[in-house]
Amino acid sequence: MTTPAPAPAPPPLEDAHLAARRITRLSVGVAVVLIAMKAFALGASGSVSILATLADSVLDLAASLTTFFAVRWAAAPPDEDHRYGHGKGEALSALVQAGLVFASAIFIGWEGVQRIFDPRPVTAGFWATGIMVVAIAITAWLVWMQTQTLKKTGSLAVAGDRAHYAADLAANVVVLIGVISGAFLGAPGLDAAAGIVVAVWLFWGATGMLKVAADHLLDRAVPEADRAAITQAVLTDPQVFGVHQLRTRMAGQVMMIQMHVDLDAHQTLDAAHAIVVAAENRVLSQYPAADILIHADPRGRTRPQADVPAVTTPAPAEPKAVEAPTGPAPKGPWS
């Protein structure tokens, strides 16, 4: 069975943080423009589906501002009180975004149900339709820009921001259908129904955002493909006889990696150190934004935890002696 390929290595952290900051500024600007446009359309048309998407855009602005500050806080280096850095601020931002989208879905759904029983005509249909078309184009452009940034950074906060704007894009299409139905087809009930569809769509999207944020905050391990790639990189050296107690988690855009490795019990400390340094370098070559801690165990004198399977390789007939490196040990992003 072929092991799936690991995720591509992220770019240097500073480049990733700069890209995330740029896209969050753009997201806030787009949210402000959309609110102004939809407020005008609502005043002209009285459409419940436009009211729904306006309320969602207001929450989008709140979510985008949360993301704006979260990516800057998450990029701050470790300090005395946060030795692992501030990366989980991105997950906290995504959690807040999920809560805001849930609130938006409930409000929009309630308003839609009310208008089903008390339908109101949609006026100024041409204005409302034109504004919604422009809003769809702007939102689509923002989602595309966020997708490009996400490919470069892997930022959880940007992913959450993109998720609700992607939901908005689909929701705006539904709203456009509702406005056309209410203004030109004489079916205001369809406008209210469009608002309810938007609410259901947003609720579904918020559920996915909540799961991703919770996984990050609860230290879910990185995907199996990445764990396999890390293990393989360490075991490339035949002097590493096994890897056990491998632990991984994400702290923002930094992968935290800890493990124990089995080495020849009769090696000098310098030789063992050289093997560990080389293993760290191999992992860092694939995951530059990683913070790695490797503990060397004398082979045969420890056993892995029962719930963490060990990965071993056959011992060579005569382990080679390794000279200690003359240069400094490799540095992770926060070393």
Side-chain angles (χ1 to χ4, degrees), residues 165-181:
Y165 275 108
D168 287 351
L169 180 60
N172 286 340
V173 173
V174 175
V175 169
L176 179 61
I177 295 172
V179 169
I180 293 173
S181 300

Side-chain angles (χ1 to χ4, degrees), residues 288-305:
D291 190 271
I292 307 168
L293 179 62
I294 299 180
H295 178 82
D297 288 332
R299 188 186 190 196
R301 298 189 187 179
T302 59
R303 63 184 180 87
Q305 292 181 343

Side-chain angles (χ1 to χ4, degrees), residues 185-272:
L185 302 181
L190 291 180
D191 175 56
I196 295 175
V197 172
V198 171
V200 173
W201 182 272
L202 291 174
F203 193 90
W204 179 262
T207 302
M209 291 165 55
L210 181 64
K211 180 182 183 303
V212 172
D215 284 346
H216 199 97
L217 291 171
L218 294 175
D219 290 333
R220 183 182 178 89
V222 302
E224 176 61 32
D226 292 304
R227 298 199 297 272
I230 292 167
T231 301
Q232 183 177 5
V234 173
L235 291 176
T236 298
D237 187 347
Q239 295 171 107
V240 179
F241 302 136
V243 173
H244 58 277
Q245 296 185 35
L246 172 63
R247 293 184 174 92
T248 59
R249 63 185 178 91
M250 295 300 298
Q253 299 174 44
V254 176
M255 183 185 296
M256 313 296 292
I257 304 171
Q258 299 179 9
M259 73 184 78
H260 288 226
V261 296
D262 295 325
L263 304 180
D264 182 5
H266 303 292
Q267 289 183 114
T268 65
L269 179 59
D270 279 346

